Amino acid sequence: MNMKTVLVLLLLALATIFALVCVLLTRARAPSACQQQPLAQEEADDGHSRVFADLTPEELAQVVQYLRVNLGVPLADAAHAKPSDNCIASVDVQLPAKAEVLRFLDAGGARPPREALAVLYFGAQAEPNVTEYVVGPLPAPTYHRDVTVQKYGGKVPYHRRAVTGVEYAAINELIQKELRKAPRFLAACCASDGTDLATITTAPRGLKSGDRTTWFVLFHGVAGSGYFVLPVGLEVLVEHGPLDVSQWYLRRIFYNGHYFHSTAELENAFVTKSLKVVVVQKPQEDTVLGSMRPLRSPGAPGPLQFEPQGPRYSVRDNRVTYQGWSIAFGMNPNTGPRLFDIRFRGERIIYELSLQEALALYGSNCPGGMSTRYLDGSFGIGRFAYELVRGVDCPYMATYVDRHYLSESDVPRTNQNSLCIFEHDTSLPLRRHFSDTHSLYYGGLRKNTLVIRAVSTLINYDYIWDFMFYNNGAVEVRVHATGYISSSFFHDQGTDYGNKVGPYTLGTMHLHHIHYKVDLDIDGQLNSLESHDMGYQTVSIPWSPENTLQQPFLRRERLERENKAAFPLNASLPRYLSFTGPKPNRWGHLRSYRVQVVSFPGEHLPTSSPMEKAISWGRYKLAVTRRKEEEPTSTSVYNQNDPWTPTVTFADFINDETIANEDLVAWISVGFLHVPHAEDIPNTVTVGNSVGFFLRPYNYFDEDPSLYSPDGIYFSSEQGIGACGANPLACLPAATCAPRLTPFQYGGFVNISLGSPLGGH
């Protein structure tokens, strides 16, 4: 062996020893928790965002106490109130008028008084009605004023009120009592005595204004699984209009394509063999259609998102800040997430961004399905936003926030950890370029975004509500639909209304249409609406006049009136539609934000329908109107149970007023048609089932503001690529830092009463 070989072997041995020592040292030293780094100086937190804050449990309790003492009428606890009682149905924050808020936020004016909006059901009056009171000032109320006539032009008729949990329980008792009159039929059709059957409500409740009759659909109830896909073919129409519960009764019975006037008539038809019965055995828990139990044991965990130097956003009370963004957030118990005073780099861009309504409209050859037009705000989009599951609903290490509400009870309730906030790495560049001409360099920026998320479970469907904020000043709003489909019993020509997804299950076609309010304030309140789109013109070629070419050109138009800015649901929008402010940017263009809708909706309910006015917001993909305090929402919770005489008609907002240099609101509809199919069992997946819109800067800045993001990367062929400055991610102390995960706990099953047929869709 020559000397050269010996030296090579010695060097290899030394390298091996060095590597082993490094490994041993690394293993011996347990990774430490990631250290929070100081956040960049954000806008000072002066507590001003509290003007938009949801009510605290203490404030809710104070309102209830005040009303009990000062209204002068007996009030039952809504948790036990009969239709013939008076009760406090709900309490929420009453937001001040925009002018008051802006004087406070921008001009050093007085803080507006903090007030609550209380909704009361007066069933014990000569003329039962729904009345709304503003109560204040909080936290120690001294006054209340009736605002019902001011808001709605008169008292709200009592039949428009939501169906309470107490009423649902009474309806369930009635159905059970009536089912006992058909024991042989139930044993034959469903292997049941009726007590183990689950029910789902439909809505609206009847066929004309004043009705309060509801179809309830019956399903096999299997613990630990979604009964929504297990119909037994039986549906009942309940009359529940009288204030005296003892006067409620079943008006009709439907079974497998046939209608009966009573369960006794149904039983007689079975006994006399004049009714064909389809035997639907109760499925076993381990083989039930729609079970979400995993079919494989857990494997190796997937990637985990964590912040190696702590969160780069800050949450304090109802305000979150992140790399130039500042957002006040909250949750309306009825309509769900609402954001206010959204600023970027210190400038307000959006005064209000809020969910308004979610419509689910069905087709079927069964009465429950064919009559269903759910307006989820009446059920409680915010109220039913339950606790989120770490690592599935949101990243494990997201920030989780509790939400409080008071509805159908005198005691405030808390949905803990029901809103999450996190920074999301999309694993996609926000922008990038690799230069291979003139000079060699690379520049890029990771597409990170701040996400505010809530998930509403409205019996069978789960809606994931996302609000996202990007480094370039853009906002994205998106909704995903998942959860269980609702279904009908498959019979006759069922496939005219959907697909068969089980032995007796028809997945019924339906629309999901969602409505949002966007109050943009671009460079102040006075804005205008402009459209930019393209056309082609034939021009002679300057350097060869005998020839022509088709040249694209830009069409610019200012939309001056509301009727011009109301775009039908399935019509094409101008490709660029922008809210413009009064001032130009450096290049002479009016500072603007563009509205870009990403949606593939179904067809809107025909205007000839007697209930269409209640959802007339759905006529429009986008409508821009002048902002008015008397038009705060596009719909009402009372529209669900009386769509024939709607309390709020959005179409009336559009009356051809001027929208040039005015305070404007964009009302945006997004949605999709869902035809359930085999792969919707057990659950509808989020892939492909999301819609939304973007709000994007359009000449608002002089250049892309993401240039100021701390995540930008740039290097050229002339610098050392291995240097930490080229790509700081490569130099993180990963070996000495590991995420410290909070032990998994879940309290989302608290405050839930089983057995209430609140309505699936």
Side-chain angles (χ1 to χ4, degrees), residues 50 53-64 91 114 138-139:
R50 287 280 300 156
D54 297 344
L55 298 183
T56 65
E58 294 75 20
E59 289 173 323
L60 291 166
Q62 286 288 344
V63 173
V64 171
V91 178
R114 190 153 164 80
L138 300 177

Side-chain angles (χ1 to χ4, degrees), residues 501-651:
V501 296
Y504 311 103
T505 304
L506 174 69
T508 47
M509 64 181 294
H510 55 280
L511 311 176
H512 291 285
H513 287 180
I514 318 294
H515 205 225
Y516 291 91
K517 176 182 181 180
V518 187
D519 181 357
L520 286 148
D521 281 356
I522 306 304
D523 226 355
Q525 291 177 256
L526 301 182
N527 294 162
S528 300
L529 188 68
E530 289 191 356
S531 69
H532 293 178
D533 214 327
M534 66 171 290
Y536 282 97
Q537 57 187 359
T538 301
V539 298
S540 61
I541 299 175
W543 63 93
S544 183
E546 68 275 16
N547 295 305
T548 61
L549 58 76
Q550 284 65 48
Q551 168 85 337
F553 71 99
L554 190 61
R555 290 197 181 103
R556 302 176 185 265
E557 182 182 4
R558 174 167 285 200
L559 307 179
E560 300 280 353
R561 310 195 76 84
E562 288 179 340
N563 288 19
K564 188 83 169 175
F567 299 93
L569 182 66
N570 284 304
S572 296
L573 286 176
R575 291 174 176 85
Y576 281 70
L577 193 65
S578 303
F579 276 57
T580 67
K583 300 175 185 176
N585 70 357
R586 181 182 176 186
W587 315 115
H589 300 291
L590 292 177
R591 303 179 75 201
S592 306
Y593 255 73
R594 174 189 176 195
V595 179
Q596 183 177 356
V597 180
V598 182
S599 176
F600 39 98
E603 298 293 330
H604 178 63
L605 189 68
T607 55
S608 58
S609 166
M611 64 181 69
E612 187 275 340
K613 287 178 66 178
I615 55 172
S616 56
W617 52 263
R619 298 177 189 175
Y620 311 102
K621 180 181 295 184
L622 171 68
V624 177
T625 65
R626 289 173 64 169
R627 187 191 186 279
K628 298 178 181 177
E629 288 294 338
E630 60 270 27
E631 295 175 350
T633 60
S634 61
T635 183
S636 165
V637 294
Y638 311 120
N639 281 14
Q640 174 70 93
N641 290 338
D642 190 356
W644 307 279
T645 310
T647 304
V648 173
T649 302
F650 176 76

Side-chain angles (χ1 to χ4, degrees), residues 205-278:
R205 307 185 186 282
L207 299 173
K208 65 183 185 306
S209 187
D211 283 355
R212 203 164 169 88
T213 59
T214 304
W215 279 102
F216 286 82
V217 184
L218 278 74
F219 300 81
H220 269 308
V222 180
S225 185
Y227 60 84
F228 321 102
V229 293
L230 302 172
V232 297
L234 186 62
E235 304 183 11
V236 296
L237 179 62
V238 179
E239 169 61 65
H240 55 109
L243 299 187
D244 183 352
V245 174
S246 66
Q247 297 180 25
W248 294 1
Y249 63 96
L250 302 192
R251 297 188 60 157
R252 288 287 187 279
I253 316 292
F254 171 84
Y255 177 72
N256 195 22
H258 301 278
Y259 289 87
F260 304 90
H261 287 89
S262 67
T263 49
E265 184 182 347
L266 171 67
E267 178 82 344
N268 182 65
F270 170 73
V271 170
T272 59
K273 299 184 179 180
S274 60
L275 173 66
K276 179 182 177 182
V277 170
V278 177

Side-chain angles (χ1 to χ4, degrees), residues 90-160:
S90 65
V91 178
D92 189 23
V93 67
Q94 171 69 25
L95 293 168
K98 182 177 180 180
E100 286 185 72
V101 174
L102 294 184
R103 276 195 298 269
F104 169 61
L105 294 179
D106 301 343
R111 180 185 288 271
R114 190 153 164 80
E115 297 178 322
L117 179 69
V119 178
L120 279 88
Y121 294 166
F122 286 123
Q125 293 190 355
E127 293 185 18
N129 64 85
V130 180
T131 300
E132 297 189 1
Y133 294 99
V134 168
V135 181
L138 300 177
T142 59
Y143 61 80
H144 64 280
R145 62 180 184 274
D146 186 341
V147 295
T148 317
V149 174
Q150 172 189 333
K151 290 176 67 174
Y152 306 118
K155 291 291 184 182
V156 175
Y158 201 51
H159 67 267
R160 295 184 189 175

Side-chain angles (χ1 to χ4, degrees), residues 488-511:
S488 291
F489 190 77
F490 184 84
H491 74 95
D492 298 336
Q493 304 303 312
T495 51
D496 287 348
Y497 306 97
N499 289 315
K500 190 176 183 182
V501 296
Y504 311 103
T505 304
L506 174 69
T508 47
M509 64 181 294
H510 55 280
L511 311 176

